[in-house]
Amino acid sequence: MTESAAVRIAPQGEGPDDAQLVRLARVGDERAIQTLVQRHQDTAFDAAYRVVRDEDVAADVAQDAFLKALQGLDGFRGDASFRTWLIRIVINTARSNLRTRARRGERSLEMARDPASGEDPARLALVRAEAERVGDYLDALPEKQRLAVTLRVFEGLSYREIAAACGSTEGAMRVNYHMGIKRLREWLE
């Protein structure tokens, strides 16, 4: 049985790890590529959103980053996890997107939310206002602090993974994380 066939018959939840999927994707296994995308699409979108702060743009950035990652799989050495490597590509793509949009003078529009969720409108308004307040404070942090906080809190990455994703040292990202958290606490009090 080929390695590719093993991927196809693996029970759900017991599939191959990312390293196996990368090896298969490098030789053109569409199922392996699809599994990598499905496994990491939320992470890619979330990382992009943390940088660009616009859902539509984040979706485009995540898609562009996946294309770059999949086209560059031969360059993936495996020094970091695929997830960390992908997040680095997402962050770089998002930064590039911001620079391009800034040169063009584009501004993002806030997306309207559907209030028909069945929850108490007053509670929803309060939660949204608080989330917006925290988001504004996150946006006010310097970029490295914002990335360190969001990748640690929202993505659950280790400091080593954050450093690899941001192209920095582990110690620097620890400092950025703690400084960002300190500032957020001060602002939220």
Side-chain angles (χ1 to χ4, degrees):
M1 178 183 315
T2 67
E3 193 173 359
S4 181
V7 172
R8 292 195 222 319
I9 62 170
Q12 213 170 26
E14 293 181 21
D17 64 15
D18 284 351
Q20 292 170 314
L21 291 171
V22 167
R23 280 194 302 278
L24 293 169
R26 280 182 174 151
V27 296
D29 186 306
E30 291 296 324
R31 178 94 169 181
I33 292 169
Q34 182 181 21
T35 302
L36 281 170
V37 170
Q38 288 173 343
R39 189 175 285 177
H40 297 289
Q41 65 188 0
D42 290 342
T43 297
F45 173 82
D46 290 344
Y49 182 78
R50 303 284 173 231
V51 176
V52 299
R53 306 298 293 166
D54 181 289
E55 289 181 6
D56 289 334
V57 175
D60 290 342
V61 164
Q63 182 177 1
D64 290 346
F66 261 114
L67 289 173
K68 289 176 184 177
L70 294 172
Q71 290 169 349
L73 272 180
D74 289 336
F76 175 60
R77 297 186 313 259
D79 297 338
S81 69
F82 176 79
R83 179 178 184 229
T84 301
W85 182 70
L86 176 64
I87 289 172
R88 171 96 186 230
I89 293 170
V90 170
I91 290 169
N92 289 340
T93 304
R95 286 175 175 165
S96 176
N97 179 282
L98 286 176
R99 285 189 299 270
T100 301
R101 289 174 53 212
R103 279 193 302 269
R104 292 181 185 161
E106 294 178 23
R107 297 182 184 263
S108 64
L109 299 174
E110 290 295 321
M111 293 201 45
R113 305 266 188 238
D114 180 16
S117 66
E119 291 192 41
D120 176 35
R123 184 181 178 293
L124 268 178
L126 184 62
V127 168
R128 284 187 183 146
E130 189 63 19
E132 187 174 318
R133 181 174 161 232
V134 171
D136 289 344
Y137 288 139
L138 271 171
D139 287 344
L141 289 174
E143 183 182 35
K144 285 195 176 187
Q145 289 179 12
R146 183 177 68 247
L147 287 172
V149 169
T150 58
L151 291 174
R152 181 90 172 137
V153 172
F154 297 109
E155 297 300 327
L157 267 59
S158 70
Y159 293 112
R160 178 175 289 153
E161 291 172 318
I162 295 168
C166 294
S168 187
T169 66
E170 187 174 340
M173 294 320 290
R174 282 181 187 272
V175 169
N176 278 301
Y177 171 78
H178 289 290
M179 293 293 292
I181 290 294
K182 181 181 177 188
R183 280 187 177 169
L184 288 173
R185 284 186 179 139
E186 289 169 359
W187 292 338
L188 290 169
E189 290 179 347

